Amino acid sequence: SQQGEEDPQALSIQEGENATMNCSYKTSINNLQWYRQNSGRGLVHLILIRSNEREKHSGRLRVTLDTSKKSSSLLITASRAADTASYFCATVPGTTGANSKLTFGKGITLSVRP
Amino acid sequence: DSGVTQTPKHLITATGQRVTLRCSPRSGDLSVYWYQQSLDQGLQFLIQYYNGEERAKGNILERFSAQQFPDLHSELNLSSLELGDSALYFCASSGNFGQFFGPGTRLTVL
């Protein structure tokens, strides 16, 4: 079953613009992780945010977590054509340890137009 | 490069056959996870091993089995293959900073 639900399902922006993707989940979490997948290829780990954290940054990426709303957002600033990919959020349940299975959302397709 | 390796990259086989997918986790990681990605089911957790022992099971079919060896590499065995088993199979290992995925094995059942 899908725990995370990403929104929107697809996003098309111009190079240089910011891209914001949202993820909502249903049950308590230990942590939430964002991944990128280029067409049919492997999953690249972008960032992990723990349930007691509210915001994390990594380069052009900014992730926020609101546990009261059970939601997270991924912001990519100054997007590039190379950011075109599918983005997934995935959660680790709060009832298990940090090193437990991930439950994935269906993903967001981001297209960055040159 | 995540540090997780998977072989083979591609596998084409016929219905009814059996295949073995292999995974080596990142150095130092004790946990190995297997996931299946298909168009209709998305990314689904199959099974987790920790230091040689089965830790958690997801929606893994009875025709599928896995094991983790003393050197921590893992194998996923898929038998009596059906057309619907065609998918990308990922292995991942985890440490303190998240779960890192291998490049996947694309299985095509004809």
Side-chain angles (χ1 to χ4, degrees):
Chain A
S1 62
Q2 304 289 346
Q3 158 79 311
E5 294 282 342
E6 293 99 341
D7 169 59
Q9 290 190 339
L11 183 61
S12 180
I13 59 174
Q14 200 74 33
E15 206 165 27
E17 292 180 340
N18 295 341
T20 299
M21 290 167 270
N22 302 300
C23 167
S24 60
Y25 56 90
K26 297 185 178 115
T27 58
S28 69
I29 60 169
N30 178 289
N31 65 71
L32 183 146
Q33 302 178 47
W34 283 92
Y35 291 85
R36 184 184 75 233
Q37 185 179 35
N38 291 87
S39 180
R41 302 183 67 179
L43 289 154
V44 175
H45 187 270
L46 297 177
I47 206 159
L48 176 152
I49 187 163
R50 294 183 172 81
S51 60
N52 61 352
E53 297 174 315
R54 292 298 164 255
E55 189 171 311
K56 285 189 88 167
H57 296 255
S58 176
R60 294 184 295 114
L61 305 181
R62 173 178 166 249
V63 167
T64 62
L65 179 66
D66 186 335
T67 52
S68 67
K69 294 181 180 175
K70 292 188 170 61
S71 68
S72 174
S73 67
L74 170 67
L75 169 67
I76 303 175
T77 59
S79 63
R80 304 167 182 166
D83 295 327
T84 295
S86 293
Y87 291 81
F88 294 87
C89 72
T91 55
V92 171
T95 53
T96 62
N99 291 321
S100 298
K101 67 170 188 175
L102 289 166
T103 301
F104 282 85
K106 293 181 180 176
I108 298 170
T109 302
L110 173 66
S111 299
V112 182
R113 305 186 300 274
Chain B
D1 184 0
S2 68
V4 179
T5 61
Q6 286 187 251
T7 57
K9 283 196 171 69
H10 301 276
L11 205 45
I12 301 174
T13 188
T15 54
Q17 295 297 304
R18 172 189 167 95
V19 297
T20 298
L21 282 53
R22 185 189 166 105
C23 164
S24 291
R26 295 185 316 159
S27 177
D29 286 352
L30 300 179
S31 270
V32 167
Y33 310 76
W34 287 97
Y35 294 85
Q36 178 195 59
Q37 185 179 33
S38 61
L39 280 174
D40 53 345
Q41 296 288 329
L43 272 155
Q44 300 277 329
F45 166 73
L46 294 178
I47 197 163
Q48 176 195 1
Y49 278 83
Y50 179 85
N51 203 20
E53 300 288 327
E54 183 184 300
R55 173 66 69 91
K57 234 173 179 174
N59 295 326
I60 187 167
L61 299 171
E62 283 191 15
R63 300 183 284 109
F64 296 1
S65 65
Q67 54 185 328
Q68 186 180 27
F69 295 87
D71 67 352
L72 300 178
H73 91 271
S74 177
E75 292 180 357
L76 179 67
N77 300 298
L78 314 176
S79 61
S80 302
L81 285 167
E82 302 174 359
L83 296 177
D85 297 327
S86 295
L88 259 174
Y89 291 84
F90 288 108
C91 164
S93 70
S94 63
N96 291 332
F97 300 103
Q99 216 168 106
F100 295 86
F101 283 71
T105 293
R106 182 173 292 282
L107 173 66
T108 303
V109 182
L110 300 175

